[in-house]
Structures are given as C-alpha cells and as structure tokens.
Amino acid sequence: MIILVQMNWYPQERLSWKMVLFVTSMLMLLVQVVCRSPSGHCPTSHPLPITHKYYQSGDLLIAGIISQVFKFSDTVEFEEHPSSSSSDSLLHFISSLTYHAALELLSTKGRFIPNYKCDNQNNLVAVLGGPKSNFCLHMADVLCIYKIPQLLYGSAPVMNDKNQAVFLYKMFPSWTKQYMGMMKLLLHFKWIWVGVLYVDNEHGQRFVHKVLPVFSKHGICFDFITNFPSITFSSSFSEMVVGRKELSSLVMGSTAKAVVVYGEIQTIIVLRFFLRAAEIKDIPMRTKAKVWILTAQVDFTSINFQRSWDLAFIHGALSFGVHSKEVSGFDEFLRARHLASEKEDGFIGDFWQHAFECSLPSTTELMTDEEICTGEEKLESLPASVFEMSMTAHSYSIYTAVYVVAHALHAMYSFMQKHRGNANRGEKNLLYQQPWQFHEFLRRVSFNNSAGDQISFDQNVEIASGFDIINWVTFPNMSFLRAKVGRVDPKAPEDKVFTIHDNTIIWPHMFNQVQPLSLCNDRCHSGYSKKKKEGNPFCCYDCLPCPEGKISVLEDTNDCFQCPEDQYPNTNHDLCLEKRISFLSYEEPLGISLASLALSFSLMAALVLGIFIKNQDTPIVKANNQNLSYILLVSLLLSFLCTLLFIGRPKKLSCLLRQITFGIIFSVAVSCVLAKTIIVVLAFIATKPGSRMRNWVGKRLAISIVLSCSFIQTTICTVWVITAPPFPDFDTHTMTEEMILRCNEGSISMFYCVLGYMGFLASVSFVVAFLGRKLPDSFNEAKFITFSMLVFCSVWLTFVPTYLSTTGKYMVAVEVFCILASSAGLLGCIFFPKLYIIVARPELNMKGQITRR
C-alpha cells in the first residue's frame, strides 16, 4: 500500500454554505452530462489550476490542504477573467481555492470532475488540514458531505453544525489545557497585570469572552485587551505600517511587562509589523522590554522583506507548543532534500527562491539581477529565521496525523482480513470502503510512535497530549533557539500537571536576567495592606501602613491581622515580638521601695507595741484602753506586713490571700478605732451623775464591737472566696509591649464591697470622733482619732480614682501605698502623741497629770 499525499495552496476566506451546495450540485450535474458521451470516457476538465501542490500516486490517498506561503498581489478589480496567467490574483479568492482543492480531491487525478472517478486509484481516506481555522472550516464544508475524516493540526474551527463536527479529528490537545497552563504560568511568576493581543476571529472572541474572565477570578487583571490589525495581502509595506501607531503606543507604552498573544500561525508577522511601526514612527515608549506569551497556534513565520529585521523582540518570549519530540531520521531527510528531489513538488521551487534568494533557471531572463539557484544549496546553512532543521510542534502534529491514519488503515485491513478470510480479498475490499466506515478505526487508534509518545484520542476526539512551554532565545546571526523549560501534562498527578524550570529561562535583555515583575503598581511590602483604587482594575491598589496593634508578614495582603495575645507588633509592623511579663517585682526599684517601707512601718508598729506593753501599768496606757490599743497595734503591724503579699510574682495562693487578708485585718484595725471612739464618748457620758451608761462601758463592749464589725467583713470575704475567688491572670490588652501578670479579683463587686465596708466603718469612726472632739482634755484621744480618720478617709477617697486610672503593676503599687499610708496615718495620729509622752515626757505620764487634764 502506497500512501499518497496531496498538499494544496492555503485558502483563507469562506464562501457561504448555500454557495457550496450550489457549486457542488452544478458540478455533479456537469459530471452526469459529460459522462454520457458516446465514447463512454470522461472528458478532461481544465479549470484554473492549483499551482502549488505535491502529489505521489498510490491506491489510497492521504491528502492535505495546508497553509505554507504568504504572497502579496494586486487587488482584483473584476474587470477581466482571472486567468491562470494572473493566478496570483486568485489569492483573494482564498475560500474558493479551499473549495476547489477539496473538490479536486474528489475527482480523478488530472480531471476536475467532482463526485466522479474513472479509476480505482487514489481513493481518498483522510485529509489533513491546518494550521488556520478558516482553512479547516472551508474544507469541512465540502468534505463533511462525504463523511471524509479530517485531521486538523492547528486551530480547529468552531463548528455550529454538530453533524459536521463528528468527522473532525483534532491533532491539537484540548484548549482548556492550554488556558489552564497559561493561567498557572502567569500566577507562577505573579504576573497579575498583563496585556492581551488577540486575533479577531471566532477563536479570539471566545478567548476574550470566556477565558479571560476565568483569569480575572484568579486575580489576573488586564492593562489592555485589543485585537490585532488584519493583514491585507494586497497592501504594500507602507500601507501596513500606517494605522498601527496607535496600537504600538498602547502596547509598548503599557506598564504591563507580560503580554499574552492569542493568535494563529502568521501572528509573528503582524507582531513584527507593529513593532516596526513603533520604530519608524519614533513612538515614545515606557519600555521596550516585554515578555511575549504566545499560544500554541502561533509559530515563527516571516515575509521576505522581514528577513533583515531584528529578532531581538522575541528574545526571552515564552510560548506554548503541542508536546513534541525529535523524530529519528528527520534531520537526514531534510539534508537529502534539494531543488530537483521531486519533480512533482509544486512548493520546493518557490521555497528555494525565497530561502536562498536566487532565481530558478527557468526564470533567469526575468530575474537577471539575482543569482541562479544551483540546486546544491544546503538547508542547514539557512538561519532559523528562514528555515528550522528541527521538527517544530506543528510539523510533529502533521507527522503524528499521518501515522494515525496509517495505523487506523492497518487496523481496518486486519479487521477485514480476520473476518473475510482472504488477504487479497481484504486488500481489494479496503479500496472500496466508504469513508464513514473508517471513522470507527480512527477513534480507537492507540500506538506508540517512533519518538516514544503514546498516541490516542480522548472522548472529545482530541489528541490525548499536553503542551510544552518553550523559551525563545535569539542570536545576532538571525537565528534562534526554542528551549523547552516546562510542561503542561494532563496525565501527570495533580501537583505535577504544570511544571516550570525557572532557573533555565532566559529573560529579555533589558531585564538583565532578573525575572520581570508585571504589576499595576509596586507590591505592598510586609507591614502594609492593600487598598483598592477607585475606578481602576482590582490589581491596582494603594499601600497603607498597618494600624497600631496589627501586622502583615506577606506581600500584597488584603488586611493586617492582630498578633497573638502574648506578642506585639514591631515598629515596622511586619513581625510579632514576645511581650515582656510585667508585675510588681522585688527586683525593681518600686518593689524594693515599697517592701522596704512596709518593713520599716511594721518595725515601727512592733516597736510601739513593745513600748506600750513595757509601759502597760502607766496611766496613759491604761487611760486609753490598753487592750484595744494592743489589738490595734497588732492589726496595724499585720497590715504593714500584708502588703508583702502584693509584691512579687502573682501565684494562686498569694492572689487568694492578699485582698482577703488585707480586708479582714484592716476591718479589725478600723473596728478597734471605732470601739475606742465609742468607748471615749460613752466614758464621758458615763461620768455624768445618774447616767446608766456605766453598765455599758467596759472591756466586753469594746470586744463586742471589734468582733461584730470584723465578723461582717469576714462573712463578705468568705462569700467572695466561695463564689468568685481571685486568681492569677494575664492582661494582654492593656499594655502594647507588656503582658501584665496580675491577680484577677474574680468579682469586682465583691472587691468594692470589702473596700466599701471599710469605708463605712471609717466614716462612722470619723463622725463619732468628730462629735467627741470637744471633750475635756482628760479624754482628748477623740481628737487624735478624728485626725487619724480624716487621714484614713482622705487616702482611700483618692485611692479609687487613682486605682482606676493606672494599669499593670502601678495599680498594685497604688493599693500598697494606700494601705501603708492609711495604716501609717492611724499609727502616727493615734499612738505617736502617747509615745512622745511615754518616751520624751515621762513626768506627764502621772495619774495626777491625767486627772488634772
């Protein structure tokens, strides 16, 4: 079996479906008429020939309608018949040429009689189409009528007719895989501010309206989205440059460093045109450095006069390409090609002239200013911008498509041989198979090609493959290299579907081999948060410093966050530091001072107690109710010492005891003062003749007052301990850089009940003492009690606002100071006058002196 390939000139524009049916019907009618001639032979028809084609004869025909060459021509004016001598003008009838090529495949070779064959040779089994979608669409209009399999290696057309779509086999992987890979590429490099250039066709519109919104949902926004200007092949270079100034200014003046180019095979030509326009028009540009991100449909193509143009624009570009490998023997095949290698090759002559800039011998009279092609020129001597010796992704897809057909034919032949028993008969039947019978074998094809890749179709009849990510590297000699730097492999595990090797990528020269950033504005560093700019895309934002108490540790955070409770932000608001634990310690000056003061006062109280005990038989000690004086001195001594529970690291026991101990001891002290005051007043009243108060004056009354008043405070403290006892606690909110270790009072209301009750006792004592302040000098202790209660109440009245206005260890210091000050006030005001008489004026400590006064 000989595989026959027919390749025709690329068509580009589409005729209406109705026109195709009309043309086909007329041609079929023509065949019926001419084939009724008496001779019984089909006369040869000679329509306008397709000059660029390649043909090898065989039993089965694998054909191709492929775009290869771009050519400029004059505009068709429809003033004369476009004869074969002016075949260049037929380039404007691109779609008609596609239909012509497709119909020629349905005719006997050399006779343009569509739908009629005069022999059993060249049976059409499949057609390869591409790389542009409109070629495939026009081709499908005709070939789908005959259910002929069509293998498309480029942009598959958007088929509105599902009945036609079933005959198309896409040698291009699913578009969604490419879009997913492109989005992952942008997000990998954090390029969230990009420009988009797209070809204005159905594919381009679908890309803009369906794919770009998905990009936006993942945080990518666009500086510009604009379509490419179309190339009119009848235009001159100057006409093509005109009108591209605005596009050049938009793209090259953009702040986006990454530009996505969604195009087709000739997109590089257009891209070079508008970059050239920017140079010619001297357009001011913010930067010329762009990372072009090209879709897999784009390949390097050029027009003859672009040959000398600089290739640096594509240096560092990243493109997607259908996964491909080097095919063994392909390089040797290319080296063996020369001008006279194939007599029926309608392409090689034109290619040879353009590639080597020479004239064929048959045209030397017309091209006297050019060298004559010898035919011995070497393809490997051409720069890559003219011809690449390696197999590109598009070529690999064509290579794979041919083998897909070959393997499907083999499967069909094996099936017939197995079920019909005779090999020769099976081969003969293979020639008479209808095209629709071939589809079942094509869809199920699965094999490993010579490059080691597994080839099969998925459920959507798309090649089950992935994409390579290619880095373009250019050289001064007008050559370039395509280096594979990554892969999009749908068959890989989820975390390896997209892979990229950053360290192997060559970036455009202006970036000095530093990965470029493509952002609307500079990133918000740590310590800042983003704030959207009104009226701008969501990728554009201002950077605001984090407020007090909050930090951000990552770039471009939407909001700052609080540090943990035991930490606080540093000055840059980008790091949390451990808070220092703060409490009133014995190791700091304030703690040492208060502890020293407490010990000093307690020593003084002990000293006064000792002096009073030593002089207990003296009149002044007896006259002032010595038992109450002893109890008061002991309670004052304990009051001074209980302040030591407030200093040092708060613990469970110390927190539980300090307020309770202070409350009960102080209640005893104030109760003693109250008892003294009452006893003094009652004693004066009892001295009056006929007074019944004498029965109340005595030790039992004093002890009863002290015990009853103390019992009430003890009851309050007991309820406090049972219901909501104090406990150690960390206050992490009051101080920014410190974590206060304090005693949580458990119940603030109970705490103020204890203080309130002491205040009540002190107030009663003050009132009673004040009322008895004018008693005779013999009972002048009421004056001292009045003054001591005045000091006591003053201290504790200032305590409440001061306590509430301070924080941390200073709250504790305030309470300690108030305890010391009020206790010292009682000690000094009540006992120091007596102590003065006992120590300094013993002559006054006589019964006669006391009685006289």
Side-chain angles (χ1 to χ4, degrees):
M1 178 176 65
I2 300 175
I3 297 178
L4 181 148
V5 178
Q6 176 170 323
M7 302 175 69
N8 297 285
W9 191 268
Y10 54 92
Q12 294 189 13
E13 297 179 358
R14 184 184 182 191
L15 289 178
S16 69
W17 177 245
K18 291 182 179 179
M19 179 61 73
V20 174
L21 291 178
F22 173 75
V23 172
T24 306
S25 301
M26 292 300 101
L27 290 172
M28 292 174 64
L29 179 61
L30 177 62
V31 169
Q32 293 176 7
V33 172
V34 298
C35 288
R36 290 175 185 164
S37 61
S39 61
H41 297 287
C42 295
T44 302
S45 176
H46 297 285
L48 295 175
I50 299 176
T51 56
H52 292 80
K53 58 185 176 182
Y54 180 77
Y55 182 85
Q56 285 187 347
S57 181
D59 294 327
L60 300 175
L61 176 64
I62 303 175
I65 302 177
I66 296 172
S67 168
Q68 186 205 25
V69 180
F70 292 101
K71 196 168 185 179
F72 293 93
S73 63
D74 298 326
T75 304
V76 177
E77 301 295 343
F78 295 97
E79 294 178 354
E80 60 180 359
H81 182 76
S83 62
S84 59
S85 61
S86 59
S87 59
D88 286 345
S89 63
L90 291 177
L91 291 174
H92 298 281
F93 297 150
I94 301 299
S95 55
S96 64
L97 286 178
T98 307
Y99 298 132
H100 184 177
L103 290 170
E104 186 171 296
L105 296 176
L106 303 173
S107 307
T108 301
K109 181 181 180 299
R111 303 179 181 184
F112 187 71
I113 311 174
N115 206 39
Y116 189 84
K117 289 182 62 62
C118 298
D119 54 39
N120 291 329
Q121 293 184 341
N122 304 324
N123 294 284
L124 184 64
V125 293
V127 178
L128 277 61
K132 294 185 66 176
S133 61
N134 57 341
F135 303 151
C136 304
L137 186 60
H138 302 320
M139 185 175 74
D141 285 343
V142 174
L143 299 179
C144 286
I145 298 174
Y146 299 91
K147 300 180 176 60
I148 294 174
Q150 299 152 65
L151 290 84
L152 314 180
Y153 70 90
S155 300
V158 178
M159 303 296 292
N160 297 321
D161 188 347
K162 294 183 179 180
N163 294 325
Q164 289 188 357
V166 298
F167 306 121
L168 306 183
Y169 297 81
K170 305 172 188 71
M171 303 306 299
F172 204 97
S174 171
W175 298 117
T176 56
K177 298 173 185 175
Q178 180 177 204
Y179 301 149
M180 178 272 296
M182 184 175 294
M183 183 177 68
K184 287 184 177 291
L185 177 72
L186 294 173
L187 294 176
H188 174 80
F189 291 116
K190 299 181 180 178
W191 293 336
I192 59 173
W193 180 244
V194 302
V196 176
L197 283 169
Y198 67 96
V199 61
D200 194 9
N201 59 15
E202 290 185 2
H203 287 286
Q205 293 294 335
R206 182 173 61 178
F207 177 75
V208 170
H209 294 111
K210 293 187 177 180
V211 178
L212 295 187
V214 178
F215 284 19
S216 296
K217 290 180 180 179
H218 286 80
I220 300 170
C221 54
F222 309 99
D223 186 12
F224 62 87
I225 301 174
T226 186
N227 62 298
F228 274 113
S230 59
I231 290 183
T232 304
F233 288 94
S234 60
S235 304
S236 64
F237 169 69
S238 59
E239 289 174 338
M240 283 185 284
V241 170
V242 172
R244 285 166 174 77
K245 180 177 180 179
E246 183 178 347
L247 177 62
S248 301
S249 301
L250 173 66
V251 176
M252 302 311 294
S254 165
T255 57
K257 298 297 189 297
V259 179
V260 174
V261 179
Y262 183 94
E264 291 196 332
I265 185 126
Q266 82 284 2
T267 297
I268 292 290
I269 296 176
V270 188
L271 187 61
R272 297 181 78 183
F273 266 128
F274 88 79
L275 291 176
R276 188 71 167 179
E279 295 178 7
I280 293 174
K281 297 295 183 179
D282 195 24
I283 296 173
M285 303 180 192
R286 194 166 301 179
T287 173
K288 289 184 179 181
K290 303 290 181 188
V291 179
W292 305 103
I293 303 169
L294 312 174
T295 54
Q297 301 93 314
V298 178
D299 206 344
F300 188 88
T301 54
S302 63
I303 300 174
N304 216 29
F305 54 74
Q306 290 181 326
R307 185 167 182 160
S308 61
W309 293 4
D310 190 9
L311 292 179
F313 78 97
I314 205 171
H315 182 78
L318 296 172
S319 68
F320 287 79
V322 178
H323 173 65
S324 62
K325 290 183 178 179
E326 285 296 327
V327 177
S328 177
F330 182 68
D331 184 75
E332 289 77 9
F333 168 76
L334 291 179
R335 292 177 187 276
R337 300 290 290 171
H338 53 83
L339 188 58
S341 60
E342 294 291 343
K343 294 182 179 179
E344 295 193 36
D345 190 337
F347 297 94
I348 196 167
D350 276 359
F351 166 75
W352 215 264
Q353 289 184 87
H354 291 294
F356 293 103
E357 297 182 309
C358 61
S359 298
L360 297 177
S362 60
T363 61
T364 53
E365 295 182 0
L366 299 176
M367 304 292 184
T368 55
D369 58 334
E370 293 186 359
E371 295 183 3
I372 300 175
C373 300
T374 64
E376 300 301 324
E377 292 84 2
K378 302 296 183 183
L379 291 176
E380 59 267 28
S381 66
L382 295 171
S385 58
V386 177
F387 185 79
E388 296 178 71
M389 292 293 289
S390 61
M391 180 172 281
T392 64
H394 282 89
S395 300
Y396 188 79
S397 295
I398 297 173
Y399 165 82
T400 302
V402 173
Y403 272 86
V404 164
V405 177
H407 277 269
L409 284 172
H410 178 74
M412 186 183 229
Y413 177 75
S414 300
F415 177 82
M416 292 179 179
Q417 185 179 21
K418 179 180 178 180
H419 288 80
R420 298 184 182 178
N422 187 298
N424 293 329
R425 186 178 177 186
E427 181 178 349
K428 184 176 180 181
N429 287 328
L430 184 62
L431 299 177
Y432 290 97
Q433 293 301 306
Q434 295 298 318
W436 61 266
Q437 296 175 297
F438 190 38
H439 288 283
E440 181 182 356
F441 298 94
L442 272 174
R443 290 192 183 95
R444 294 187 301 175
V445 72
S446 180
F447 64 95
N448 289 339
N449 64 12
S450 60
D453 283 334
Q454 183 179 6
I455 307 300
S456 62
F457 291 108
D458 61 18
Q459 66 274 14
N460 297 319
V461 202
E462 295 172 329
I463 199 74
S465 180
F467 293 90
D468 294 323
I469 302 174
I470 300 166
N471 184 208
W472 296 63
V473 183
T474 63
F475 303 99
N477 64 350
M478 302 301 291
S479 289
F480 60 84
L481 173 69
R482 307 187 202 214
K484 293 181 181 179
V485 295
R487 179 85 189 271
V488 178
D489 185 5
K491 299 178 182 178
E494 183 66 26
D495 59 335
K496 294 184 179 180
V497 170
F498 173 85
T499 55
I500 187 79
H501 307 294
D502 300 18
N503 56 341
T504 62
I505 297 176
I506 303 297
W507 299 110
H509 296 299
M510 291 187 70
F511 297 126
N512 296 321
Q513 202 46 34
V514 176
Q515 179 197 317
L517 297 176
S518 192
L519 305 169
C520 179
N521 45 257
D522 291 336
R523 293 188 180 279
C524 291
H525 299 297
S526 53
Y528 292 81
S529 62
K530 298 191 299 184
K531 180 184 178 183
K532 187 181 182 304
K533 289 182 178 179
E534 293 298 329
N536 292 81
F538 64 86
C539 290
C540 303
Y541 46 82
D542 292 319
C543 297
L544 299 181
C546 288
E548 288 299 322
K550 292 187 175 183
I551 69 163
S552 63
V553 296
L554 301 176
E555 291 185 335
D556 284 345
T557 54
N558 292 318
D559 196 9
C560 302
F561 61 90
Q562 295 279 359
C563 285
E565 290 187 346
D566 59 345
Q567 299 177 1
Y568 70 98
N570 62 352
T571 54
N572 294 328
H573 293 274
D574 59 358
L575 182 66
C576 288
L577 304 176
E578 292 290 336
K579 286 186 176 181
R580 300 187 300 274
I581 297 177
S582 173
F583 56 89
L584 187 60
S585 171
Y586 285 111
E587 299 174 356
E588 59 181 308
L590 181 60
I592 294 172
S593 300
L594 292 174
S596 301
L597 199 60
L599 291 174
S600 300
F601 283 138
S602 61
L603 287 174
M604 293 172 68
L607 181 61
V608 171
L609 177 62
I611 292 172
F612 267 58
I613 292 174
K614 183 179 180 181
N615 297 277
Q616 61 182 339
D617 296 327
T618 61
I620 197 166
V621 173
K622 291 180 178 180
N624 288 282
N625 200 329
Q626 60 183 4
N627 291 329
L628 285 179
S629 296
Y630 295 157
I631 295 172
L632 179 58
L633 284 170
V634 170
S635 63
L636 290 176
L637 173 63
L638 294 176
S639 295
F640 290 130
L641 292 176
C642 81
T643 57
L644 298 178
L645 293 172
F646 289 81
I647 305 172
R649 188 182 184 93
K651 296 180 180 178
K652 186 175 182 180
L653 183 60
S654 62
C655 286
L656 184 66
L657 290 178
R658 68 184 190 179
Q659 297 290 6
I660 306 299
T661 303
F662 153 68
I664 294 174
I665 291 174
F666 239 61
S667 295
V668 172
V670 176
S671 299
C672 290
V673 173
L674 177 61
K676 272 179 169 287
T677 307
I678 292 174
I679 292 298
V680 168
V681 174
L682 290 179
F684 173 74
I685 297 173
T687 59
K688 293 181 180 181
S691 176
R692 297 180 181 179
M693 289 295 179
R694 292 187 180 187
N695 298 326
W696 292 94
V697 178
K699 293 182 180 180
R700 288 191 298 177
L701 177 62
I703 296 299
S704 298
I705 292 173
V706 172
L707 289 178
S708 60
C709 292
S710 301
F711 176 76
I712 294 173
Q713 185 71 294
T714 303
T715 303
I716 295 173
C717 291
T718 303
V719 173
W720 185 6
V721 170
I722 293 173
T723 56
F727 59 91
D729 187 24
F730 281 104
D731 178 5
T732 60
H733 304 292
T734 303
M735 305 292 289
T736 302
E737 300 181 7
E738 294 181 355
M739 186 167 53
I740 302 170
L741 180 57
R742 63 185 178 88
C743 287
N744 190 312
E745 308 304 347
S747 173
I748 296 297
S749 59
M750 296 302 296
F751 172 66
Y752 285 110
C753 283
V754 169
L755 293 180
Y757 181 71
M758 287 191 298
F760 169 74
L761 292 179
S763 300
V764 172
S765 299
F766 174 75
V767 171
V768 174
F770 181 79
L771 294 174
R773 71 188 185 284
K774 294 183 180 181
L775 294 175
D777 290 342
S778 299
F779 302 96
N780 63 1
E781 191 176 28
K783 294 180 181 179
F784 302 131
I785 293 173
T786 302
F787 188 69
S788 68
M789 286 297 99
L790 181 62
V791 173
F792 185 91
C793 292
S794 299
V795 169
W796 286 102
L797 284 175
T798 57
F799 163 75
V800 175
T802 307
Y803 183 81
L804 296 176
S805 63
T806 54
T807 57
K809 60 186 178 183
Y810 299 104
M811 292 181 70
V812 181
V814 167
E815 187 173 359
V816 171
F817 179 80
C818 288
I819 294 172
L820 294 175
S822 58
S823 300
L826 293 175
L827 179 65
C829 294
I830 295 176
F831 293 101
F832 277 11
K834 301 177 182 63
L835 188 64
Y836 172 75
I837 293 174
I838 294 172
V839 175
R841 303 291 299 275
E843 70 275 9
L844 299 178
N845 192 7
M846 298 293 180
K847 186 176 181 180
Q849 291 290 336
I850 298 298
T851 305
R852 183 177 64 81
R853 302 211 309 268

